[in-house]
């Protein structure tokens, strides 16, 4: 999670960030050092300082971000890392950087200055929220939505509590079940897994207490979770972190997908062991460069999206024989549309293979939206602002969305987001999850045009589009 430093408000492209104040630029010869704050502010940017880590963070007038730590040569700029010829240093209390870095910063600052380059940002409000998790600090993390096939208003929310368990809520946010299963990080679900001659809805999650992937059957009527593994699926990575399930509509096989703290990726095929339990078999593994958590698989198109937190959203094949190289880059965390950390990812399934890829851009408290099809062109960002008696969201981790008719409150579906700072009448409570009617997001994506029909497919009846 990105640590929030300071509370001075600034709007860049309609997005709220933390900031500082300005003074004149200092010019210096190549190879010498220049004061960072003074130089950044002279070109219209803002800088803030983390005294604990001795790190300087800055955002340019076009939204592009960067950072550098005193005593280090490594820097970040526009979503990429680099190494300088000399380290940043303090001089009379000010951060000094090599002139070469300022030259690169100035070049980035010259980009995206046409009004047409502005990031479109709209706002929505939550109409519901879950009860706060029992654990304090950074505990609530990732939600998943289960659709009741006979009474959609009776659908459930399954979520993780990093403080120690799995949670189940109804759509009104009431906690129905709490299971002390360990430090659960990310979760996901799939329908109709073949087990012991029956079709079972399954829930999976990464368990950081045991460094395992836990698989449960889910009783949607009672909200009961039951571990159905024959033996624990023990990961080879140092610490399990991100998680997604994948049901290949093409092959009708089910997979558990896992990310580690160091960027490791593992894919396990889930199968009936012949005795009414589930076994997992490792079928693919590879590694990203840095820490990655957010992940979602498209069951129809057979694609997999991974959020490398400080870098980019990558697109892979979700099939076990799909190789270890990314098929492409959806977007980079340069500070404009995505501001690190990139956290939760989710997919909205629309009619006939349409829909959206959605990402939590934690560093600027927004959610970026991309087309689900083709090369995932960018569409817009949105924020979740305070609603009637319900606060908005900040620094979101996990997200999920489902486009089904889920009763009078959510007739076109619901978007759910973890909230880092859950407030009630100005008082800070433990974290929780906020619920937003899908039609309000859809209206923002279509410039205020209201939805009149729900065309999302039944998640139990998806089509092969590979």
């Amino acid at each position: 999670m990105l640590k929030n430093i300071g509370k001075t408000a600034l709007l860049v492209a309609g997005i709220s960030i933390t900031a500082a104040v300005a003074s004149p630029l200092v010019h210096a010869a190549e190879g010498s050092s220049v004061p960072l704050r003074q130089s950044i502010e002279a070109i219209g940017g803002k800088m803030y300082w983390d005294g604990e880590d001795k790190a300087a963070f800055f955002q340019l007038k076009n939204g592009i971000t960067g950072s550098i730590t005193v005593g280090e040569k490594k820097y970040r700029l526009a979503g990429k890392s680099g190494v300088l010829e000399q380290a940043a240093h303090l001089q009379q209390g000010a951060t000094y950087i090599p002139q070469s870095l300022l030259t690169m910063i100035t070049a980035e600052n010259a980009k995206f200055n046409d009004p047409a380059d502005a990031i479109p940002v709209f706002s929505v409000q939550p109409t519901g929220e879950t009860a706060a998790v029992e654990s304090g600090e950074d505990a609530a993390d990732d939600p998943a939505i289960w659709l009741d096939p006979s009474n959609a208003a009776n659908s459930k929310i399954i979520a993780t509590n990093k403080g120690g368990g799995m949670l189940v809520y109804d759509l009104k946010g009431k906690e129905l079940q709490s299971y002390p299963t360990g430090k659960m990080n990310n979760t996901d679900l799939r329908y109709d897994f073949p087990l012991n001659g029956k079709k079972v809805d399954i829930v999976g999650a990464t368990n950081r207490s045991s460094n395992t992937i836990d698989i449960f059957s889910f009783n949607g009527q009672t909200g009961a979770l039951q571990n159905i593994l024959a033996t624990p699926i023990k990961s080879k990575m140092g610490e399990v972190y991100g998680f997604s399930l994948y049901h290949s509509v093409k092959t009708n096989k089910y997979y558990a997908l896992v990310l580690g703290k160091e960027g490791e990726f593992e894919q396990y095929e889930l199968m009936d062991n012949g005795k009414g339990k589930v076994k997992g078999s490792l079928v693919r593994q590879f590694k990203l460069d840095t820490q990655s958590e957010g992940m979602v698989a498209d069951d129809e198109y057979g694609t997999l999206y991974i959020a490398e937190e400080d870098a980019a959203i990558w697109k892979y094949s979700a099939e076990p024989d799909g190789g270890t190289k990314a098929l492409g880059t959806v977007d980079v965390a340069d500070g404009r549309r995505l501001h690190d950390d990139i956290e939760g990812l989710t997919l909205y399934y629309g009619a006939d293979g349409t829909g959206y890829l959605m990402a939590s851009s934690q560093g600027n408290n927004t959610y970026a939206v991309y087309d689900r099809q083709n090369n995932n062109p960018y569409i817009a960002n949105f924020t979740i602002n305070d609603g009637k008696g319900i606060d908005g969201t900040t620094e979101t981790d996990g997200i999920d969305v489902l486009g089904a008719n889920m009763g009078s409150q959510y007739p076109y579906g619901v978007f759910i987001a973890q909230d880092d700072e859950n407030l009630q009448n100005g008082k800070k409570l433990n974290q929780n999850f906020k619920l937003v009617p899908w039609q309000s997001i859809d209206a923002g994506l279509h410039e205020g045009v209201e939805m009149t029909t729900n065309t999302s497919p039944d998640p139990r009846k998806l089509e092969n589009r590979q």
Side-chain angles (χ1 to χ4, degrees):
M1 170 181 286
L2 179 74
K3 180 166 61 177
N4 189 12
I5 304 166
K7 290 290 183 181
T8 306
L10 167 74
L11 285 179
V12 176
I15 298 170
S16 177
I17 62 169
T18 50
V21 286
S23 52
L25 176 62
V26 171
H27 293 281
E30 198 68 32
S32 58
S33 296
V34 294
L36 177 59
R37 182 186 295 276
Q38 198 173 349
S39 301
I40 289 291
E41 292 171 346
I43 57 175
K46 300 292 180 180
M47 192 200 98
Y48 56 98
W49 171 251
D50 178 2
E52 181 179 349
D53 293 333
K54 290 185 167 53
F57 300 84
F58 53 89
Q59 185 149 25
L60 306 181
K61 62 182 181 181
N62 57 15
I64 288 176
T65 58
S67 64
I68 192 164
T69 300
V70 169
E72 296 186 5
K73 295 181 179 181
K74 187 176 181 180
Y75 69 92
R76 288 191 59 79
L77 178 63
K80 298 179 181 179
S81 298
V83 178
L84 298 166
E85 70 279 4
Q86 63 188 73
H89 65 278
L90 288 177
Q91 184 174 319
Q92 295 182 332
T95 303
Y96 275 69
I97 60 169
Q99 173 65 36
S100 59
L101 178 55
L102 179 58
T103 300
M104 290 185 281
I105 291 172
T106 304
E108 292 294 339
N109 194 59
K111 300 176 181 178
F112 307 116
N113 289 315
D114 189 300
D117 295 326
I119 304 301
V121 182
F122 62 92
S123 63
V124 297
Q125 296 178 340
T127 60
E129 63 180 333
T130 67
V133 301
E134 294 181 3
S135 305
E137 302 301 326
D138 181 25
D141 197 281
D142 195 33
I145 308 164
W146 177 82
L147 178 65
D148 189 311
S150 57
N151 179 10
N154 194 41
S155 298
K156 303 295 190 294
I157 303 163
I158 302 159
T160 56
N161 174 5
K162 288 182 291 191
M166 298 291 293
L167 304 169
V168 181
Y169 304 93
D170 63 20
L171 289 181
K172 294 181 180 179
K174 179 183 177 181
E175 184 182 297
L176 304 175
Q177 303 281 0
S178 177
Y179 294 92
T181 50
K183 295 180 179 179
M184 314 304 287
N185 203 71
N186 283 183
T187 189
D188 200 7
L189 62 85
R190 286 298 185 273
Y191 305 96
D192 296 340
F193 180 84
L195 186 66
N196 202 26
K198 300 178 181 180
K199 291 183 177 181
V200 178
D201 295 343
I202 61 171
V203 172
T206 40
N207 188 331
R208 292 165 70 177
S209 294
S210 55
N211 207 45
T212 57
I213 300 97
D214 292 358
I215 304 295
F216 308 90
S217 62
F218 182 64
N219 183 327
Q221 299 308 309
T222 64
L225 290 166
Q226 181 177 352
N227 193 305
I228 52 174
L229 284 171
T231 56
I233 302 176
K234 189 79 173 179
S235 173
K236 295 182 178 181
M237 60 186 66
E239 182 178 1
V240 293
Y241 202 41
F243 183 79
S244 177
L245 286 169
Y246 170 53
H247 173 211
S248 173
V249 181
K250 177 182 177 181
T251 65
N252 201 34
K253 293 182 178 181
Y254 290 74
Y255 301 92
L257 314 173
V258 192
L259 286 169
K261 279 269 193 172
E262 301 299 322
E264 311 98 323
F265 170 86
E266 294 174 353
Q267 181 168 1
Y268 294 84
E269 183 178 350
L270 302 177
M271 299 166 284
D272 187 334
N273 74 343
K275 299 178 181 179
K277 296 289 185 178
V278 175
K279 65 177 181 179
S281 177
L282 182 64
V283 293
R284 183 171 60 152
Q285 56 186 327
F286 56 81
K287 190 177 184 304
L288 291 90
D289 289 339
T290 59
Q291 181 168 301
S292 306
E293 181 179 12
M295 179 166 50
V296 66
D298 191 319
D299 292 2
E300 293 191 325
Y301 286 109
T303 50
L304 167 66
Y305 300 93
I306 295 177
E308 189 176 358
E309 292 186 351
D310 293 341
I313 300 173
W314 305 102
K315 185 176 185 176
Y316 289 83
S317 168
E319 294 293 334
D321 60 357
T324 61
K325 302 296 183 183
L327 302 175
T329 308
V330 176
D331 207 350
V332 297
D334 64 1
R336 286 169 46 78
R337 302 183 296 216
L338 293 174
H339 190 317
D340 58 346
D341 295 352
I342 312 169
E343 288 286 336
L345 300 179
T346 190
L347 284 164
Y348 175 88
Y349 285 74
D352 302 320
T354 62
Y356 306 102
L357 169 67
M358 310 175 77
S360 169
S361 175
Q362 193 179 74
N364 57 14
N365 302 319
T366 72
Y367 309 88
V369 184
Y370 305 85
D371 196 305
R372 179 184 166 212
Q373 295 178 310
N374 303 315
N375 293 322
N376 310 105
Y378 168 76
I379 300 173
N381 280 58
F382 68 92
T383 60
I384 300 177
N385 294 351
D386 293 349
K388 295 180 180 179
I390 304 174
D391 65 309
T393 59
T394 55
E395 296 186 11
T396 291
D397 286 328
I399 57 177
D400 198 19
V401 66
L402 185 62
N405 181 342
M406 302 173 75
S408 59
Q409 190 171 6
Y410 306 107
Y412 299 98
V414 65
F415 177 85
I416 302 180
Q418 182 262 5
D419 182 20
D420 177 70
E421 189 175 61
N422 178 29
L423 301 174
Q424 187 176 82
N425 298 322
K427 180 182 178 181
K428 187 174 180 180
L429 307 178
N430 287 348
Q431 296 175 340
N432 72 345
F433 301 88
K434 300 300 194 291
L435 284 71
V436 178
W438 175 255
Q439 64 266 31
S440 61
I441 297 173
D442 186 84
L445 296 173
H446 294 94
E447 299 181 348
V449 178
E450 293 186 6
M451 295 184 75
T452 56
T453 58
N454 192 327
T455 59
S456 288
D458 184 335
R460 292 176 171 86
K461 298 177 181 179
L462 300 180
E463 297 183 23
N464 176 28
R465 302 183 188 277
Q466 293 192 50

